Amino acid sequence: MATSTSNRIDTKRRKLLKAFAAMPAMAGVSMMGAPVPTVNAQALSNCGPRSLVCIFLAGGADSFNMFIPGGSRYDDYRTVRSNLAVNEQSLLEATDTRLGPIAFNSMIDSVANLYRDNRLAVIANCGPLIRPTTQQDYLAERSLPQSLFAHDAQQRLWQNGGGSVASSAGIGWGGRIADYAARCNMGSEVSPAFSISGTNLWQSSINTDYITLRALVPVRNMDGYNNISDWIPTDRLSRISRALVAGNNDAISRSSFRMEQEVGGAYERALTATTNLRSALANNPVSDFRFNTNNKLAGQLHYVAQLIAAREELGMQQQVFFVQMGGWDTHSEQLGRLPALLSEFNDAIGGFQQAIDRMRKSESVTSFTGSDFGRTLTSNGDGTDHGWGGHAFVFGGAVEGGRVVGTLPDYSPTNNADDTGDQSGQFAGRIIPTISVSQYGATIARWMGIPESDIPGVFPDLANFSVSDLGFMRT
Amino acid sequence: MVLLSIAACSDSGVQLSGADTQPVSGVAPNENSSTPGTNVTTPPATNVSATTGSLTIDAAARDASRFLMQATFGPRESDIQEYLRIGTDAWFEQQFNAPVSRTYAYTRANSNGSNREARHEIWWNNVLDGSDQLRQRIAFALSQIFVVSDVDRVLANRQFGMADYYDMLAENAFGNYRELLEQVTLHPAMGVYLTHIRSEKANPALNIRPDENYAREVLQLFSTGLNLLQLNGELVLQGNTPVPVYTQTDVEEFARVFTGWNYATATRFDSVSIAVSDFETPMVPVDEFHDFGEKRLLNGMVLPAGQSPRQDLEMALDNIFNHPNVGPFFSRLMIQRLVTSNPSPDYISRVASVFNDNGAGQRGDLQALVRAILTDSEARTLSIADTENFGKVREPVIRLAHVWRALNAVPGPQSGGVHRHADLSLERLDELTGQAVMRSPSVFNFYQPDTPISPSDTLVAPEIQITTEVNSARVHTNFHHQLYRFTTDTDLGTDNPRVTLVNLDRPASLAADTSDLIDWLDLVFFAGAMPDSLRANITSVIRPLSSNTSGRFARAQDALFLAFSSPSFSVQR
């Protein structure tokens, strides 16, 4: 056991040393034992309890059928969406002080209710942009994000936090937030960042590795480590435990092969996670968050809810979560597929927010959606294709909700200046965003306590926009 | 250096992997599994320094093991021996001519179309015991490029179509890329997955356009990639900016090409009863829904107005196939699946040149491509293998297959003759490893070719994307359960009698001398590249154990567990 503990500290120390190199303001942390809480006051002035949840809708969600314009704009919407339009009987109406009547698809009543409760804001027509971009810019190919309309490229831009491929292309803005969160969590050996949906760019960071868990799979012991095994005879077990740890240490610190180092790091983080999370998760089952186990997003968000409930027990101030729901690439059968997707999304976020409310942590938990891109306003017969701008939702007790941030695009198929147009100059319904991901992300990052002086480094394109904070977070 | 006398071991009665059963092509799992639990508990004594047919762990043996890690689902001791005996050329000939192991007939017989397990049962049986190892390895690689996945809710219930699609990949593994691309394009499983089946010409009055899904992904993922490449795979740059291969307009043009295709047995285009749709016969054209207008494709090619759907499709696929990007783009992807994640530009260039011309003037010859990848000096030179960035993280499914192959795994006594892992059924293996055949989360496969090994690194390691904490912990625990609970020598008692059992007789027979055991492990599972620190680690754990019968078995268990749990076992160099 002693071997395994010092091993964990060794790895953490390596990570911290890298962090120290970047942030010389920090001092006074014991390298070998418990951290000493004498860190630079200014660096940690924003360390209130905060948990941030990124809900990524992979494949390009048809957000134009989630949030729908009201009043006269609805007629344009209905015309342009033809056979895919949500009819008036299936709308939940609400209002925005600037726009007047707006509506949500009745399949997402949790979203509508949070909006009416002033705890959810709609970020209208958002997407990766390098700078404010007009139809003329698009046609002249001026300062356009690379590989528009391609899933992976646009996911990368969303999660990287801008429209241009930054020099830190492999880093996500969630990872940058996690770097700050890690400094607030000196009482914890575990990373502040958790993905319940596999590897992602959004949480990638040089200094802070995130932990990947899987929905519905409890954290279990890694048999053979820590002298735990029901099957290895006890006279052999302790030697094996020591050798397993030594083997990882060798791979991480002595192997000259990069891939072996990385695999060793994954084993070691897995062990750290199992050792540190098991009891905290067991103590915080959040069993009042009930969900259908077929609802994969709810399963992920349940894990998030458990970790948020265990936040203090884990010695954490701040946490950064990534969950993801796939299946949104509705090129065909949209009329059949989209309702099922919306229903899953709706049940998951509704149940999650209720669980957070019951924990009385609403003020310290903010969730937001992102997606590859919005989809075409036009139909391809029974589905929609890859677009650009789309609507996003941000919700929680710290959100200035009940309003639409930004402007709605023109939904009309004639003389539409918000549209990229198709090959023959006809209307295509690929909408040019009017809010950039960097503006959206920077507003959230400030709430997580990233100092203003560091914001431009995280969102390099932000300087091209006149508004750097969209004002939807209470601080 | 210790001599391992493989042939002599065979003479002395040790059961060698595969020596007792002729690999059978595509047979039902329960037809070629031996009865488990009847193995002799006491391993026969083996004279490891016997003289006949002895095999030293020298450069040739190490290369043989490495080669078989790159080209098969993992070497058994007997495979290494056979490869050394017949040599590379004869081995290729044998593999190119081996009968194709298929999945369709078994899936048809054992699934109702929605039951997913059958497809995985026969796939595992084929990759474990099939004689067409190279073909199966290539088919698995192709299934990760021309991706369809039954995570899709329609394909989940089309297991016959899924199996047929995989067999199509296996049949074309040594064929021509152009023919493969056409069969991929017209397969209903792909038609459904990337939604070009029943895509129709534009209807401007209703603001309806052709579906762009397949048009985009066939270019981005199956053939050219996003940006112009040099022959060596490096980007063509204008200033500092990559040059796109195609524009959104090109996607729209290809989308028009792929209009008017339907299920072969469907009688209507606009509303097809899924119940009668045929997922095994290539899609057929329906003129009424095809866009007959002129289309402008890549590099100035113009499809004249009025061509039939099939003429349009053939010319469009020719247009894609002949784009100079395909050689370097596809070659790199295949090298990454087989040999190394970061091939040098020269390596890509050599392989892409073979794709462009197999030496007899033919473009797209996959047999020549596969041979070029595996016989290239960069794949074969041991001094290159030992450089710090060479190799790849082994795909978890292939690692598990290797363990089962090399340890003569047999299905559990109450398994009905089908394989099963300790914690999960085969069709849910993706929940353990992040990977199961044709169950990727999206058309972007289980991992992407440019995944950096760590954030912002220029070194890539696609499989790192699924080497997550939860997957690492679960795979580790799976090996623990396999070795300590589920062997042919352990008393299952009340433990799960359906789990596949590994046979440790061979390593136990060598364990009287710890270095003989470790040498064998090193050769079979590490291609002779086991790090010294791991060797020392294993030695320190097993040396205190007795060298009597039960002690030798314990030594084999502990040595294998430490080997399989080590980061080096996850890496193929």
Side-chain angles (χ1 to χ4, degrees), chain A residues 126-467:
Chain A
C126 179
L129 289 172
I130 295 172
R131 57 176 198 136
T133 300
T134 64
Q135 192 179 55
Q136 288 70 38
D137 293 328
Y138 176 81
L139 295 173
E141 301 184 20
R142 273 195 294 267
S143 299
L144 299 181
Q146 268 180 30
S147 304
L148 281 172
F149 320 122
H151 286 292
D152 58 334
Q154 298 310 300
Q155 284 183 2
R156 275 200 293 274
L157 292 178
W158 244 100
Q159 299 188 13
N160 183 232
S164 52
V165 180
S167 55
S168 56
I171 306 294
W173 54 278
R176 298 294 291 267
I177 292 171
D179 289 344
Y180 289 88
R183 292 196 292 164
C184 296
N185 292 0
M186 293 312 289
S188 169
E189 279 197 26
V190 185
S191 165
F194 299 90
S195 167
I196 325 293
S197 184
T199 309
N200 64 90
L201 175 63
W202 186 69
Q203 289 177 308
S204 292
S205 153
I206 301 285
N207 298 312
T208 312
D209 287 317
Y210 57 92
I211 303 289
T212 302
L213 304 168
R214 189 184 286 275
L216 309 181
V217 177
V219 171
R220 293 200 187 88
N221 289 312
M222 288 172 72
D223 290 284
Y225 282 98
N226 294 340
N227 294 330
I228 294 170
S229 167
D230 291 335
W231 304 88
I232 301 175
T234 41
D235 60 319
R236 289 150 63 190
L237 184 54
S238 63
R239 274 200 307 275
I240 288 173
S241 284
R242 277 197 304 275
L244 285 169
V245 171
N248 278 342
N249 272 349
D250 288 338
I252 293 166
S253 56
R254 291 222 286 272
S255 169
S256 54
F257 301 105
R258 288 294 313 283
M259 294 185 193
E260 294 178 19
Q261 293 169 10
E262 289 299 323
V263 174
Y267 276 122
E268 192 179 53
R269 287 191 303 279
L271 181 64
T272 308
T274 49
T275 310
N276 287 276
L277 297 181
R278 226 161 53 86
S279 67
L281 286 167
N283 294 340
N284 294 277
V286 195
S287 41
D288 56 5
F289 179 0
R290 296 179 198 284
F291 57 95
N292 183 330
T293 51
N294 290 326
N295 186 327
K296 291 182 178 150
L297 182 62
Q300 296 176 48
L301 285 172
H302 180 262
Y303 228 134
V304 172
Q306 279 191 278
L307 288 159
I308 291 173
R311 191 168 63 194
E312 290 71 25
E313 184 173 339
L314 289 167
M316 293 180 169
Q317 290 261 12
Q318 299 209 341
Q319 299 174 317
V320 181
F321 297 101
F322 181 83
V323 299
Q324 181 162 249
M325 178 180 166
W328 294 92
D329 197 18
T330 49
H331 288 278
S332 75
E333 282 193 88
Q334 174 158 331
L335 290 172
R337 288 178 191 247
L338 192 62
L341 292 162
L342 293 178
S343 172
E344 178 176 340
F345 170 76
N346 186 67
D347 291 352
I349 64 154
F352 173 73
Q353 189 59 45
Q354 279 177 23
I356 299 300
D357 293 346
R358 280 192 294 264
M359 287 175 214
R360 301 181 183 283
K361 287 186 169 173
S362 177
E363 300 291 318
S364 67
V365 178
T366 298
S367 308
F368 69 96
T369 65
S371 190
D372 316 13
F373 34 64
R375 305 191 71 80
T376 53
L377 284 174
T378 52
S379 162
N380 65 24
D382 69 345
T384 49
D385 289 324
H386 301 181
W388 187 357
H391 307 312
F393 303 132
V394 54
F395 59 95
V399 174
E400 294 272 12
R403 63 202 186 102
V404 178
V405 177
T407 55
L408 287 180
D410 184 354
Y411 286 81
S412 161
T414 47
N415 299 323
N416 187 328
D418 295 331
D419 175 41
T420 63
D422 74 2
Q423 48 179 335
S424 45
Q426 301 296 305
F427 180 72
R430 265 178 268 276
I431 298 299
I432 301 167
T434 40
I435 288 178
S436 79
V437 171
S438 60
Q439 293 173 292
Y440 183 38
T443 309
I444 291 168
R446 287 190 188 94
W447 178 75
M448 283 297 284
I450 294 205
E452 196 56 41
S453 55
D454 291 348
I455 290 283
V458 181
F459 302 99
D461 298 327
L462 189 61
N464 299 334
F465 296 87
S466 55
V467 176

Side-chain angles (χ1 to χ4, degrees), chain B residues 250-417:
Chain B
D250 294 324
V251 170
E252 292 167 21
E253 293 290 271
F254 277 98
R256 295 170 57 219
V257 169
F258 296 121
T259 50
W261 291 86
N262 201 358
Y263 297 102
T265 50
T267 52
R268 293 187 56 176
F269 196 87
D270 51 343
S271 71
V272 170
S273 162
I274 294 288
V276 300
S277 54
D278 177 349
F279 274 71
E280 291 101 270
T281 309
M283 298 190 286
V284 296
V286 183
D287 284 355
E288 185 187 348
F289 297 91
H290 182 65
D291 182 333
F292 281 90
E294 177 186 283
K295 295 146 193 113
R296 296 176 174 273
L297 306 182
L298 305 176
N299 293 330
M301 185 186 216
V302 178
L303 308 189
Q307 295 203 120
S308 73
R310 201 176 291 280
Q311 284 171 321
D312 270 359
L313 184 118
E314 294 280 356
M315 285 178 72
L317 295 182
D318 285 343
N319 181 237
I320 294 171
F321 173 54
N322 288 312
H323 194 284
N325 255 46
V326 180
F329 182 80
F330 183 69
S331 297
R332 173 178 179 245
L333 293 180
M334 290 300 287
I335 294 169
Q336 283 192 322
R337 288 300 102 240
L338 304 179
V339 176
T340 182
S341 299
N342 298 275
S344 72
D346 286 347
Y347 186 9
I348 294 175
S349 175
R350 289 190 293 269
V351 175
S353 298
V354 172
F355 181 92
N356 292 347
D357 182 344
N358 65 354
Q362 193 197 122
R363 180 178 174 82
D365 176 357
L366 298 177
Q367 180 171 319
L369 178 101
V370 166
R371 189 195 279 263
I373 290 171
L374 292 168
T375 58
D376 191 88
S377 61
E378 188 159 325
R380 298 271 57 82
T381 306
L382 285 176
S383 59
I384 295 175
D386 289 334
T387 53
E388 64 179 2
N389 295 337
F390 191 81
K392 68 193 293 283
V393 175
R394 295 187 81 189
E395 296 173 33
V397 158
I398 293 177
R399 257 189 297 151
L400 294 174
H402 186 191
V403 166
W404 275 357
R405 278 171 56 78
L407 295 177
N408 296 321
V410 289
Q414 290 178 34
S415 65

